[in-house]
Every structure is written in structure tokens, then in C-alpha cells.
């Protein structure tokens, strides 16, 4: 029986549809169909027999006979191919002796389709359309391409197809199952057994026709500077064989390939290790010149031929006839014929305005001030130079240019800087060009009006004004202007002039330069500090400088645009209606400028910065960035002295003490300092603070030259400058000569190594990192009283601690409590606590071993302030060790608690530690062996070492 079926297969030719039906197991069902449904057709449905079946089941017979013409497949010996052509291979049958998989059959069909399915020659008899089956996508005619300028020559558009051209069934199945490696779901191999879903039209556009390929290769040694070794898991980066490191290609044979697709370009970069050398290969596939892809077409639209015009005609059609006329008069026509170029052309209206300005610049009666401002721009500039400054060798589509990229022009020493900015949210919604270009582009800060206009010898972009050659640096421009003499002086005093002279591809700055009138508005003391060139001057000037190119186009009307300066402080830009500002004269230099209307009674729309300064002159282009002239100096706390910062943050008590003590000027001159400033509320809540408030009110005259007040104030000033990110557990020297102790704590019950609370002498930092002139300010919730005694002396000085002090004196721990660098926490019960257990107290005095065990249970080897004790419940129980290694539980309910005792008075600061007053004797278990030891210096068992910097977030 098996042999008979085999012989039948060998005798009967089997079509592709028969083979699919057999493999699908529906042969018996097909045998029951009417005979007319068995008719094979030479159409695209042969590739997909399931679609053929659906068509026959859904289409009425009458319509099928009247409107469609079918052609039967010729026998194998006389077939000329399903789609015509010279190839005589059999494409629709599978011989019984030479069977292949369905995937191979589909590949055979693709070969028969030819390189371009849209150019196939189809016999009239095989031209078949079936409802529900959409032909492959055909690109629109070239005349409708958005990148080509066309004339209205009364051409009739092609009749629209009555059918929907977005194929659902064949397109989605083919894209899902058997698309190429770069775009397919299952990779290059597709899904086995589903090759018949493949279609030529769904090939990626960059694998289609009219695509040109460029290949770049670079080979270099592994030891070059681009292949630095990266240490892994703490391994060293040296060359020794014993170190474990990531040696790039020398240790691991890495082959990396990345691909990126753009509108008209597909770029693949591969990096390989070839015989110990790194080879970088870059393959770029893009539409050949004269071909392009429609921007608003389907994602897989192929390259189509464009109707290109000459460069001269393209420029004229874009409304730049004056520009091309000047080009011809300058003898530069050959530039447009020899090589591909990119032109940045100027509309006639803008070009005429520029020509008039050039002519006016040469008049003897021209305004000298305006001449001084413009001389740096137009000096020695001819019409030929102007054209060369708009010409770039090579074709540059705007999508291929990155932000801050410099394009070298044909004018020596002149470049065009391209910048890219986002569109505003309001304009994005109503601007029809947003879909085509979602960003805004500038060339030397001139907005690009039209982009990517392709000509026969290059690309044309339209700018809204003439691009003045940018040959001078920002500092050169400032030096050449007569209205920026003060700015030049301040830059030179601070050394920032060197920054503004730097040039290179990665050197791009924006400076908002106040003119001389703007500096006259400043306070005299601020102007004096600027001239001195100290830290205040540096910060004030850095507040006006960005490390990016910020053109005026970046500011969007109707919304706020923000960026960050060299101080990492935010600058906000918005358009506002403003009038002229009458600049102060020498006579009224201390008065603010007055805003007045223009001569016609109307205000103008200008860009405002932080609501404080107005841009009066914008987009002065330099070789290393752009300059904007502003009418006011931008204030910043980091550029103000400490007295201004105190006033701005309502730290009035401390500021008044400085003023009455006559120390304000001395403190203002400090730099590289850390100021721990108590809030006004902190003064009211502490005894020392209330004392100085009374002195301010009752005896202010006694504060000038007061040595105690000077020591008190200087004890709040530490050196050097320490921001919160650099805080660690340590002692910091102060200007008063004594140290303050910084402690870090965590309030997180799980991540106990993340420090989010800081204290200085147990005063908690409540606001922090407020920058001032060369220093930083941290606000604290307590005043810092200068400690005069050590822990042992503090016990002796308080009669309420006499009974505990007696116990300490009977042990050998006196030396520990007098050590200057001990850094201890002493838990002290008051006398009334011991009086309640007097019998036990007297008994303990006679037992030396028990006495020392009790005292050691009240001494902690680290400073633990009350603010570091937070609620601690099971399972997140916090403990600390005593000097003898015993574990004490820390918790906070109504008050801080240590083991069984509550703390009734917190943070009595001594030179070598602190004292907490408690309401009970610490009850501890008998001493046990500790794995960490008493000398670990660890207040919380799970903290690890606190002698190193830790990740720090404040709460």
C-alpha cells in the first residue's frame, strides 16, 4: 500500500497548493469542493493557497466569472514562469523526486519576482485582482515627494486606487513570521514551515533597489587609547598576568554589532577582534543620489526616483534669487558643478536687508557705537566671503548632523555650528511640520526655515538671515565692545577669560554678558568684590555662563524654558512684554533702572531670565559659542557674601550678632568655610541662645569687641568647605580653635548603612548646602556652645551627678573619661535614682567587680546623640555596644530610651563626648563574650565602620 502511494506521487505532478493541502491534513475536505474551486491561477494567491481558498469561499460565482480573468498554469515543459520573463524554470510545481521544504519554495518564488516587483512585465491575461488581497506597497510618484520642490504644471494626479492599500493579512503575517534578521521577530530563518508568507514588498527598504552602500574600515591596536582596560571585581588595571581585569579584546573575543535606522539611512557598525587587532567596520546604506523615501509614507517605503533640478534652479525656487545672483557674480558657479555641496541660502528679503546694512556700515556718518558693536562681525567681509561662508563641501541632511556639530565651510577659518532644540508643547500640537521635523534647527543660531531640499548636486537648507562668519572667540568679542569694559575686567581678574578663549569641536559656551550699565546697578560692595576677583566674583560670573550653545530660538513663547549654568543652578527663560530701561548714570548709580515705554507707547517682547534680566541683544555668534547682552546682573546666593545669605534666609539673630560685634566684614571676606548657622528658633530654645538675644535687646553696645561673643560666633565656622555629600564621622576644626564633632545616623530600619541624618555637636542639620561666596551654609536646630570641660570634669561640676561620680572614682575608668580624644557617650543617673535603691547602692560600693561592670554598662564608645535614636521595634531592633561589649537596646517612644532607662536630658556636650541624663540604672545581663569586641567603636551592630564616607541622604 505504501509503495502504491509512492508510485502515484511520482506519476502525478504535485502543485505547491496540493503540497500545502497535503501537509495541512485537509485533503479530504478539499476533495469535496466543487470542481471550479480546484482551478489553479497564476497570481500572488498561488504563493498563499489559504488566501486562495478564502477568496473562493467568499466571492460570488457571478462576480468571479464577469470581473476576473484566470489563466491556468502551463505544464512544466512549456511554462514561462508565473509572472512572465525569460527564465524557463518551473516555479509552481515540486517534482516528486526533488522535494524541498516550503520555505525553500517561497525563496524560489522570490527569485522569480526579479529585483524590483514594480517593474515586472505581466501578461494581460495574468493581471488579476481579488477583493481582500492587496498588492505590495507601491511608492507614490516622485513628484509628490516632500523633499522635492515641484511646479504646478497641470499634471493630473494618478487615479487613486479604489481599494485600501494597507494590506492586513499578508503584511502582518509576513512581518511576524519571516522578515529579515534585522526587523523580523524570528530572525533571518523565520518560522520553519511558514515560508509561503514571504513577499518581496516586505523586504526592508535598505535591501531594496536604488540603495547605495558605503563601507568604512578602521583597524587599530588593542593597546590604543580607545581600548582602555577596565578593572572588574576589584582587579588591578596593570599588565600583570595575575590581575583579573577586563582587557577589552585581549582577554575576551568580543564581536559587537549595532545597527541604527534613520529616515533615509541605515548604518551598521561592527567591532571585531582580528588577530589581536580591533577592526571597526561601518556599513552605511542609503538611497542613492536622486532617490528618496517619502516622509509620510509607510515605514517600509522603498527608495523612489526624485524629480531633481539643478542647484541654481532649486535655490531660485526656494526664493533665494539674490543669493544665487551674488554667487554667480563672485565667480563661484563651478562650485555647484564640481562636487556635491550643501548650501545654506538666504531668502531675498533677508539678503536685501543684510546688503543695506553692509552699505550703511561703510558710511562715515554711521553711529560710532553701533559701528563698534558690528565691526567684529563685518570687518573685511566681501560678497564672495559671504557665499563661501554658506557653502559646505558634501551633502548633509539635517538628520545626519548632531547637536553642536561644526560644519567646515569653504571660507577658511569659518564654521557653521548646528544646534537642535525641541519644539514647544503648544506649537507641536498645531504645527503641521511637526510630524516631518519634530525638532527646531539653527545654523549659527539662525533658524532653518526649510530643510533637506535635494538638488542634482547636493542639498539646500534655507536660513532666515545671513550667517556672519564666526572667526572670533567669545573673549575676542567682549574685548572689542565698548560697552563691556567692566565685564572684560572681571573676567580677567577671575581667570575665566581663558575659558572663553578655548576653541575646538567640544568647546561651546553661552555667556549672558551684562553691559557696563548693568554693573552700575549693583551694590558698591558687590562691585568691589568683583574687582577683587575673589570667590564671590567667580561665582557671579559663572552664574552667567553655560557649557552649551543656547540660541534665542531655544526659548519658546508661552512656556518657560530652563537649563543649568556652570554652577549647576537653574536658569529659566520666558518671553515677556518689557519696555526700555533707563540706565543709571554716575549720579544715580545706586538707584534701580526705570522701565519706560517705547516712543510709540508700546512695549516690546523680550526674553527674560529668571524674571530678573532682559536680553537686549541676542545671538552674537563666536567660534566657540554665542553671546547675549543683558541689562542686569543675574544674582546668585553662591556669589553673595555670608551677610547677604543670612538676610535672604531669615537668619536674623546670627546676622545681628555679627553686625553688633563688628565682624560682618571679616566674615564676608572668608572663603572655603563651612558655616553652621542656628535658626532664630534655635536661639529661642536654648539657654545660651536666649542669653545672646537678651544682650541684643538690652546691651547692644556691649557686643562690639566682645571676646566671648567672637568665640561663640567663630565656633560656628569650620574649615574647610564641606557639603553634605562629603560629610563623614569626624572632628572638624573651627575658627575658634576647638573642634566640632560631626555624626551621621540612619532612620531607615532596613537600609541601616544609608545615613540620612547628620549632627554637629548633636545639633541636627535642618537645611543644608546653601552656597555663599566661596563657602557653604548648613542651618542647625541648636546653638553650638563652646565646651569648656571634659566628661569627668562635667560630672564633678554638677552636684546632681555626685553619687554616680563617686562610683566612677572608685573604679579605674577615670583616665578613660578624661582622655581628650575619647568620643564617648556617658549615661548618667541622677542622685535621686540611686537614693531610691540606696541599699543596693551601698552594697555595690563594697563589690569592686560588680561596681566596674555597672559603670562600664553606662559608657558607650561612640557619640550617640538623641536625634540618632529613633523608634525601633521587632524585628528591626537597634542595639549598641558598651565599652565592655554588652548590647543595649535603643528605642524611642515618648522619649529616647536606652535599655530600660529613659533619657530625661539630652546632649550635654563636653570636649571628649556627651552626657545623657537617664532616669534608671542600666540593667544588663552578665558579661558575655562579644564577637566584635569593645574596641570596635561601632554604635549600631549592623552599621559597619562609621569612619568612612557613607551614602548620604537627608531626611
Amino acid at each position: 500500500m505504501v509503495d502504491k502511494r509512492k508510485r502515484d506521487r511520482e506519476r502525478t505532478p504535485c502543485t505547491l497548493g496540493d503540497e500545502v493541502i497535503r501537509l495541512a491534513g485537509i485533503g479530504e475536505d478539499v476533495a469535496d469542493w466543487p470542481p471550479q474551486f480546484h482551478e489553479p491561477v497564476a497570481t500572488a494567491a498561488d504563493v498563499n493557497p489559504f488566501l486562495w481558498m478564502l477568496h473562493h469561499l467568499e466571492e460570488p460565482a457571478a462576480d468571479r466569472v464577469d470581473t476576473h480573468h484566470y489563466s491556468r498554469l502551463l505544464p512544466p515543459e512549456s511554462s514561462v514562469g508565473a509572472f512572465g520573463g525569460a527564465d524557463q524554470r518551473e516555479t509552481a510545481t515540486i517534482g516528486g523526486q526533488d522535494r524541498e521544504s516550503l520555505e525553500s519554495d517561497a525563496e524560489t518564488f522570490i527569485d522569480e519576482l526579479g529585483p524590483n516587483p514594480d517593474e515586472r512585465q505581466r501578461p494581460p491575461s495574468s493581471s488579476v485582482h481579488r477583493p481582500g488581497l492587496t498588492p505590495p506597497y507601491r511608492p507614490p510618484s516622485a513628484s509628490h515627494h516632500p523633499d522635492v520642490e515641484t511646479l504646478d504644471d497641470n499634471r493630473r494626479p494618478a487615479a487613486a486606487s479604489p481599494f485600501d492599500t494597507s494590506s492586513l493579512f499578508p503584511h502582518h503575517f509576513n512581518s511576524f513570521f519571516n522578515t529579515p534578521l534585522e526587523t523580523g521577530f524570528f530572525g533571518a530563518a523565520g518560522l520553519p514551515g511558514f515560508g509561503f508568507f514571504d513577499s518581496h514588498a516586505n523586504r526592508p527598504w535598505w535591501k531594496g533597489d536604488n540603495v547605495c552602500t558605503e563601507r568604512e574600515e578602521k583597524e587599530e591596536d588593542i593597546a590604543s587609547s580607545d581600548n582602555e582596560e577596565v578593572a572588574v571585581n576589584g582587579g588591578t588595571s596593570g599588565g600583570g598576568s595575575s590581575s583579573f581585569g577586563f582587557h577589552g579584546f585581549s582577554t575576551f573575543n568580543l564581536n559587537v554589532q549595532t545597527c541604527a535606522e534613520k529616515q533615509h539611512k541605515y548604518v551598521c557598525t561592527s567591532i571585531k577582534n582580528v588577530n589581536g587587532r580591533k577592526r571597526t567596520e561601518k556599513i552605511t546604506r542609503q538611497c542613492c543620489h536622486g532617490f528618496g523615501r517619502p516622509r509620510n509614507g509607510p515605514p517600509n517605503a522603498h527608495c523612489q526616483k526624485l524629480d531633481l533640478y539643478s542647484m541654481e534652479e532649486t535655490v531660485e525656487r526656494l526664493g533665494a534669487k539674490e543669493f544665487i545672483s551674488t554667487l554667480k557674480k563672485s565667480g563661484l558657479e563651478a562650485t555647484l558643478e564640481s562636487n556635491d555641496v550643501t548650501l545654506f541660502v538666504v531668502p531675498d528679503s533677508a539678503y536685501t536687508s543684510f546688503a543695506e546694512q553692509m552699505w550703511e556700515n561703510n558710511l562715515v556718518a554711521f553711529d560710532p557705537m553701533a559701528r563698534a558693536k558690528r565691526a567684529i562681525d563685518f570687518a573685511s567681509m566681501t560678497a564672495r566671503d559671504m557665499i563661501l561662508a554658506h557653502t559646505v563641501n558634501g551633502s548633509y541632511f539635517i538628520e545626519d548632523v548632531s547637536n553642536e556639530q561644526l560644519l567646515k565651510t569653504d571660507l577658511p577659518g569659518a564654521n557653521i555650528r548646528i544646534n537642535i532644540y525641541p519644539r514647544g508643547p503648544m506649537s507641536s500640537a498645531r504645527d503641521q511640520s511637526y510630524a516631518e521635523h519634530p525638532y527646531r534647527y539653527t545654523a549659527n543660531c539662525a533658524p532653518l526655515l526649510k530643510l533637506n531640499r535635494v538638488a542634482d548636486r547636493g542639498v539646500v537648507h534655507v536660513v532666515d538671515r545671513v550667517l556672519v562668519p564666526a572667526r572670533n572667540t567669545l573673549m575676542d568679542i567682549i574685548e572689542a565692545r565698548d560697552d563691556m569694559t567692566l565685564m572684560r575686567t572681571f573676567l580677567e581678574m577671575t581667570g575665566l577669560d581663558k575659558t572663553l578663549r578655548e576653541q575646538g569641536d567640544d568647546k561651546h559656551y553661552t555667556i549672558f554678558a551684562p553691559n557696563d550699565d548693568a554693573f552700575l546697578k549693583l551694590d558698591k560692595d558687590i562691585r568691589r568684590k568683583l574687582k577683587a576677583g575673589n570667590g564671590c566674583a567667580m561665582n557671579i560670573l559663572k552664574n552667567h555662563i553655560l557649557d552649551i550653545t543656547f540660541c534665542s530660538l531655544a526659548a519658546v513663547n508661552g512656556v518657560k524654558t530652563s537649563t543649568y549654568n556652570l554652577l549647576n543652578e537653574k536658569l529659566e527663560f520666558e518671553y515677556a512684554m518689557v519696555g526700555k530701561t533707563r540706565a543709571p548714570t554716575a549720579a544715580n548709580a545706586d538707584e534701580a533702572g526705570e522701565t519706560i515705554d517705547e516712543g510709540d507707547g508700546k512695549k516690546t517682547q523680550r526674553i527674560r531670565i529668571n524674571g530678573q534680566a532682559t536680553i537686549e541683544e541676542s545671538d552674537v555668534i563666536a567660534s566657540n559659542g554665542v553671546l547675549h547682552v543683558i541689562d542686569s546682573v543675574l544674582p546668585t546666593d553662591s556669589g553673595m557674601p555670608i551677610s547677604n545669605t543670612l538676610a535672604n534666609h531669615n537668619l536674623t539673630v546670627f546676622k545681628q550678632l555679627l553686625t553688633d560685634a563688628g565682624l560682618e566684614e571679616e566674615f564676608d571676606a572668608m572663603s572655603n568655610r563651612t558655616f553652621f548657622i542656628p535658626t532664630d528658633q534655635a536661639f529661642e530654645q536654648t539657654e545660651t541662645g536666649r542669653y545672646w538675644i537678651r544682650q541684643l535687646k538690652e546691651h547692644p553696645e556691649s557686643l562690639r569687641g566682645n571676646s566671648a561673643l567672637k568665640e561663640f560666633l567663630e565656633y560656628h565656622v569650620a574649615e574647610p568647605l564641606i557639603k553634605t555629600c562629603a560629610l563623614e564621622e569626624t572632628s572638624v576644626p573651627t575658627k575658634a580653635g576647638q573642634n566640632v564633632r560631626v555624626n551621621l545616623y540612619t532612620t531607615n530600619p532596613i537600609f541601616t548603612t544609608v545615613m540620612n541624618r547628620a549632627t554637629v555637636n548633636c545639633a541636627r542639620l535642618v537645611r543644608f548646602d546653601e552656597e555663599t561666596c566661596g563657602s557653604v551654609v548648613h542651618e542647625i536646630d541648636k546653638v553650638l556652645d563652646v565646651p569648656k570641660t571634659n566628661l569627668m570634669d562635667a560630672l564633678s561640676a554638677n552636684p546632681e551627678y555626685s553619687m554616680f561620680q563617686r562610683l566612677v572614682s572608685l573604679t579605674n575608668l577615670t583616665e578613660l573619661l578624661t582622655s581628650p580624644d575619647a568620643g564617648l557617650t556617658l549615661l548618667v543617673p541622677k542622685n535621686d535614682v540611686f537614693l531610691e535603691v540606696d541599699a543596693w547602692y551601698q552594697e555595690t560600693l563594697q563589690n569592686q567587680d560588680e561596681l566596674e561592670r555597672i559603670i562600664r554598662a553606662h559608657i558607650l564608645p561612640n557619640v550617640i546623640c538623641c536625634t540618632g535614636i529613633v523608634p525601633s521595634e521587632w524585628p528591626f531592633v537597634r542595639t549598641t555596644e558598651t565599652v565592655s561589649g554588652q548590647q543595649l537596646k535603643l528605642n524611642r517612644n515618648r522619649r529616647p530610651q536606652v535599655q530600660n532607662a529613659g533619657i530625661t536630658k539630652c546632649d550635654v556636650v563636653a570636649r571628649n563626648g556627651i552626657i545623657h541624663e537617664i532616669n534608671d540604672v542600666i540593667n544588663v545581663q552578665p558579661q558575655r563574650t562579644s564577637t566584635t569586641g569593645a574596641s570596635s567603636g561601632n554604635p549600631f551592630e549592623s552599621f559597619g565602620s562609621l569612619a568612612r564616607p557613607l551614602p548620604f541622604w537627608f531626611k
Side-chain angles (χ1 to χ4, degrees):
M1 190 69 177
V2 175
D3 294 338
K4 182 179 180 181
R5 286 198 302 267
K6 181 176 180 181
R7 286 194 302 271
D8 292 339
R9 287 198 305 268
E10 292 175 352
R11 287 195 302 266
T12 305
C14 180
T15 66
L16 177 59
D18 295 334
E19 181 67 8
V20 173
I21 293 172
R22 183 188 66 79
L23 293 177
I26 59 175
E28 295 180 0
D29 296 334
V30 174
D32 296 334
W33 290 357
Q36 62 268 27
F37 287 169
H38 292 212
E39 181 181 11
V41 292
T43 66
D46 292 313
V47 183
N48 194 337
F50 290 150
L51 297 181
W52 175 83
M53 289 183 281
L54 291 174
H55 163 71
H56 278 285
L57 289 175
E58 296 175 359
E59 182 182 2
D63 294 340
R64 183 176 67 250
V65 173
D66 294 340
T67 61
H68 297 286
H69 302 278
Y70 298 90
S71 60
R72 296 179 178 274
L73 283 174
L74 298 175
E77 59 272 14
S78 61
S79 174
V80 293
F83 298 99
D87 196 343
Q88 301 297 320
R89 291 182 298 169
E90 179 182 358
T91 62
T93 62
I94 304 176
Q97 299 295 328
D98 187 22
R99 295 185 181 276
E100 297 179 357
S101 68
L102 294 178
E103 184 174 348
S104 300
D105 295 331
E107 292 174 356
T108 305
F109 271 95
I110 292 176
D111 292 340
E112 288 298 311
L113 293 178
N116 190 344
D118 300 325
E119 299 175 0
R120 295 195 296 263
Q121 298 293 330
R122 287 183 178 153
S125 60
S126 64
S127 176
V128 180
H129 173 75
R130 297 183 178 184
L133 299 181
T134 305
Y137 165 75
R138 289 185 176 87
S141 63
S143 61
H144 297 288
H145 196 279
D147 291 341
V148 180
E149 292 292 329
T150 59
L151 290 173
D152 186 7
D153 53 1
N154 297 323
R155 298 178 188 173
R156 287 187 167 224
S161 172
F163 299 100
D164 182 11
T165 56
S166 59
S167 174
L168 295 177
F169 193 87
H171 171 75
H172 285 289
F173 271 82
N174 182 67
S175 299
F176 185 83
F177 289 114
N178 200 25
T179 46
L181 173 64
E182 294 78 2
T183 58
F185 183 83
F186 290 100
L191 186 65
F194 284 87
F196 51 82
F197 284 115
D198 198 2
S199 171
H200 174 81
N202 284 322
R203 286 189 302 168
W205 67 266
W206 40 268
K207 284 190 174 182
D209 297 329
N210 307 318
V211 174
C212 295
T213 302
E214 297 178 3
R215 185 185 302 270
E216 300 178 24
E217 289 187 1
K218 182 177 70 171
E219 193 168 302
E220 56 186 339
D221 294 332
I222 298 299
S224 67
S225 59
D226 294 336
N227 302 310
E228 295 291 340
E229 177 184 321
V230 180
V232 176
N233 294 336
T236 61
S237 59
S241 59
S242 60
S243 65
F244 177 76
F246 183 81
H247 297 265
F249 295 92
S250 60
T251 303
F252 302 100
N253 185 17
L254 294 180
N255 295 327
V256 181
Q257 180 174 357
T258 58
C259 295
E261 182 177 1
K262 298 183 179 180
Q263 170 65 20
H264 63 281
K265 184 177 291 187
Y266 188 84
V267 182
C268 284
T269 303
S270 64
I271 303 176
K272 299 180 181 180
N273 179 8
V274 180
N275 298 326
R277 293 174 61 83
K278 175 180 143 180
R279 175 181 294 175
T280 303
E281 184 181 61
K282 181 180 178 181
I283 300 177
T284 303
R285 299 179 178 91
Q286 58 185 338
C287 295
C288 299
H289 190 72
F291 295 84
R293 301 178 63 231
R295 290 188 177 276
N296 299 323
N300 205 32
H302 286 235
C303 299
Q304 58 182 281
K305 185 172 180 57
L306 307 176
D307 291 338
L308 300 184
Y309 300 91
S310 67
M311 184 69 78
E312 177 182 346
E313 185 177 357
T314 301
V315 173
E316 290 180 350
R317 291 158 61 87
L318 291 172
K321 295 181 180 180
E322 295 293 336
F323 183 92
I324 203 68
S325 175
T326 304
L327 184 145
K328 292 179 181 179
K329 294 177 182 179
S330 303
L332 297 175
E333 291 178 281
T335 305
L336 308 181
E337 300 174 358
S338 56
N339 298 312
D340 287 352
V341 296
T342 299
L343 285 183
F344 293 85
V345 302
V346 186
D348 289 343
S349 58
Y351 188 86
T352 302
S353 175
F354 173 80
E356 293 174 354
Q357 190 179 33
M358 289 281 289
W359 176 81
E360 184 186 51
N361 192 45
N362 294 323
L363 293 180
V364 177
F366 190 66
D367 182 12
M369 178 59 72
R371 179 187 294 276
K373 292 180 180 179
R374 295 174 179 174
I376 195 68
D377 298 335
F378 302 147
S380 304
M381 184 175 179
T382 66
R384 178 184 176 88
D385 292 340
M386 189 272 296
I387 297 297
L388 293 176
H390 290 71
T391 306
V392 178
N393 208 5
S395 296
Y396 288 91
F397 289 88
I398 200 64
E399 295 87 353
D400 300 333
V401 184
S402 59
N403 186 39
E404 300 286 5
Q405 182 173 340
L406 292 176
L407 302 181
K408 186 177 180 180
T409 68
D410 289 349
L411 180 64
N415 297 324
I416 295 177
R417 185 183 298 276
I418 302 296
N419 289 102
I420 307 172
Y421 304 105
R423 295 180 183 269
M426 297 173 60
S427 62
S428 300
R430 62 174 181 262
D431 193 348
Q432 296 180 355
S433 64
Y434 177 78
E436 183 176 350
H437 297 290
Y439 299 97
R440 296 180 297 167
Y441 302 87
T442 63
N444 283 1
C445 282
L448 295 181
L449 305 179
K450 297 181 181 180
L451 305 169
N452 300 339
R453 296 316 193 235
V454 184
D456 61 345
R457 301 298 296 176
V459 180
V460 180
H461 306 291
V462 180
V463 293
D464 78 334
R465 58 178 176 266
V466 173
L467 304 182
V468 178
R471 294 174 170 174
N472 302 283
T473 66
L474 289 168
M475 196 61 201
D476 293 335
I477 295 175
I478 293 174
E479 290 175 339
R481 294 180 65 107
D482 294 335
D483 59 342
M484 290 192 176
T485 56
L486 292 177
M487 187 68 182
R488 178 176 68 249
T489 301
F490 299 151
L491 288 171
E492 291 173 349
M493 292 298 297
T494 57
L496 287 174
D497 60 316
K498 300 180 179 62
T499 301
L500 299 182
R501 295 185 194 276
E502 295 177 347
Q503 298 190 73
D505 294 342
D506 59 339
K507 304 299 181 183
H508 33 75
Y509 302 98
T510 299
I511 180 168
F512 301 97
N515 53 30
D516 291 344
D517 293 336
F519 282 107
L520 290 177
K521 300 177 185 179
L522 289 177
D523 182 78
K524 293 180 179 179
D525 292 335
I526 302 298
R527 291 203 302 268
R528 176 174 49 82
K529 292 179 182 298
L530 283 169
K531 291 180 180 180
N534 56 18
C536 286
M538 177 74 75
N539 287 355
I540 290 174
L541 295 179
K542 282 186 175 181
N543 192 46
H544 295 75
I545 303 176
L546 315 178
D547 58 357
I548 60 172
T549 303
F550 190 93
C551 302
S552 60
L553 183 73
V556 179
N557 195 2
V559 296
K560 287 186 177 180
T561 305
S562 62
T563 186
Y564 290 85
N565 57 27
L566 293 185
L567 297 175
N568 201 30
E569 295 181 5
K570 180 187 289 188
L571 298 182
E572 289 188 340
F573 304 83
E574 63 179 338
Y575 280 90
M577 299 301 296
V578 298
K580 286 185 177 180
T581 301
R582 181 182 291 120
T585 61
N588 63 348
D590 295 333
E591 298 179 4
E594 179 186 357
T595 301
I596 60 175
D597 289 341
E598 301 285 350
D600 57 0
K602 295 182 180 179
K603 294 184 177 182
T604 58
Q605 193 174 44
R606 301 280 184 87
I607 298 177
R608 297 276 291 172
I609 307 176
N610 288 353
Q612 298 166 327
T614 302
I615 296 180
E616 292 189 334
E617 184 180 349
S618 61
D619 299 335
V620 181
I621 296 299
S623 59
N624 58 344
V626 62
L627 178 143
H628 306 282
V629 182
I630 59 177
D631 64 351
S632 300
V633 177
L634 296 173
T636 172
D637 287 344
S638 61
M640 298 294 108
I642 181 63
S643 57
N644 290 65
T645 303
L646 296 177
N648 294 339
H649 291 83
N650 294 320
L651 303 172
T652 58
V653 177
F654 196 92
K655 183 181 185 305
Q656 190 62 44
L657 288 173
L658 275 181
T659 303
D660 290 355
L663 298 174
E664 188 173 8
E665 186 173 343
E666 179 183 344
F667 272 56
D668 283 347
M670 295 180 183
S671 67
N672 195 29
R673 297 291 199 277
T674 301
F675 293 92
F676 297 102
I677 308 298
T679 64
D680 289 355
Q681 187 179 7
F683 274 94
E684 298 172 355
Q685 292 178 346
T686 57
E687 183 179 347
T688 303
R690 288 191 293 268
Y691 168 79
W692 290 116
I693 291 177
R694 288 196 303 270
Q695 294 298 312
L696 283 174
K697 294 179 179 179
E698 300 172 3
H699 307 287
E701 68 285 351
S702 65
L703 299 179
R704 182 166 294 273
N706 189 314
S707 59
L709 176 58
K710 181 178 180 180
E711 182 185 35
F712 171 79
L713 296 175
E714 290 181 344
Y715 191 62
H716 291 77
V717 183
E719 187 179 8
L721 185 154
I722 306 175
K723 291 190 176 183
T724 52
C725 58
L727 283 177
E728 58 183 72
E729 296 254 341
T730 186
S731 293
V732 182
T734 68
K735 185 172 174 56
Q738 297 192 42
N739 293 349
V740 291
R741 181 179 298 276
V742 176
N743 293 99
L744 308 179
Y745 304 99
T746 180
T747 61
N748 194 306
I750 300 177
F751 302 102
T752 56
T753 58
V754 177
M755 304 292 105
N756 64 344
R757 185 169 291 181
T759 63
V760 51
N761 277 16
C762 289
R764 180 180 171 184
L765 275 65
V766 292
R767 293 184 64 181
F768 26 82
D769 292 343
E770 297 166 353
E771 292 194 12
T772 183
C773 179
S775 301
V776 66
V777 174
H778 304 304
E779 296 183 24
I780 54 179
D781 65 352
K782 298 178 184 177
V783 298
L784 302 182
D785 201 3
V786 183
K788 303 294 185 181
T789 61
N790 57 37
L791 290 172
M792 195 64 197
D793 294 338
L795 286 178
S796 303
N798 192 334
E800 292 290 335
Y801 301 156
S802 59
M803 297 184 70
F804 183 81
Q805 188 267 342
R806 181 184 179 188
L807 297 178
V808 173
S809 61
L810 294 177
T811 64
N812 58 356
L813 298 177
T814 303
E815 184 177 353
L816 175 64
L817 299 183
T818 58
S819 175
D821 301 321
L824 305 174
T825 297
L826 191 59
L827 307 173
V828 182
K830 293 175 62 176
N831 290 347
D832 55 0
V833 175
F834 290 110
L835 292 177
E836 292 180 0
V837 289
D838 185 65
W840 171 87
Y841 180 80
Q842 298 300 330
E843 182 181 347
T844 302
L845 291 176
Q846 309 303 320
N847 189 336
Q848 185 67 27
D849 293 338
E850 181 68 11
L851 175 62
E852 183 163 336
R853 186 182 71 83
I854 293 296
I855 297 301
R856 284 182 175 274
H858 290 74
I859 303 175
L860 310 181
N862 271 30
V863 173
I864 301 179
C865 303
C866 282
T867 191
I869 302 176
V870 296
S872 170
E873 300 295 342
W874 187 91
F876 305 109
V877 178
R878 298 171 184 262
T879 61
T880 186
E881 279 189 350
T882 66
V883 292
S884 59
Q886 296 163 320
Q887 296 292 324
L888 302 182
K889 178 183 176 181
L890 300 176
N891 194 13
R892 178 187 286 268
N893 289 322
R894 187 168 57 89
R895 58 167 57 122
Q897 295 178 339
V898 181
Q899 199 70 2
N900 58 294
I903 299 178
T904 56
K905 185 177 181 179
C906 289
D907 307 332
V908 179
V909 180
R911 288 183 175 179
N912 59 344
I914 62 172
I915 294 176
H916 292 318
E917 186 180 292
I918 57 178
N919 59 8
D920 200 353
V921 178
I922 299 296
N923 181 18
V924 295
Q925 300 296 326
Q927 185 174 357
R928 56 186 176 84
T929 303
S930 173
T931 57
T932 57
S935 62
S936 64
N938 188 355
F940 302 106
E941 184 177 15
S942 59
F943 271 16
S945 175
L946 294 180
R948 57 184 174 82
L950 294 171
F952 194 53
W953 290 270
F954 283 116
K955 181 177 179 181

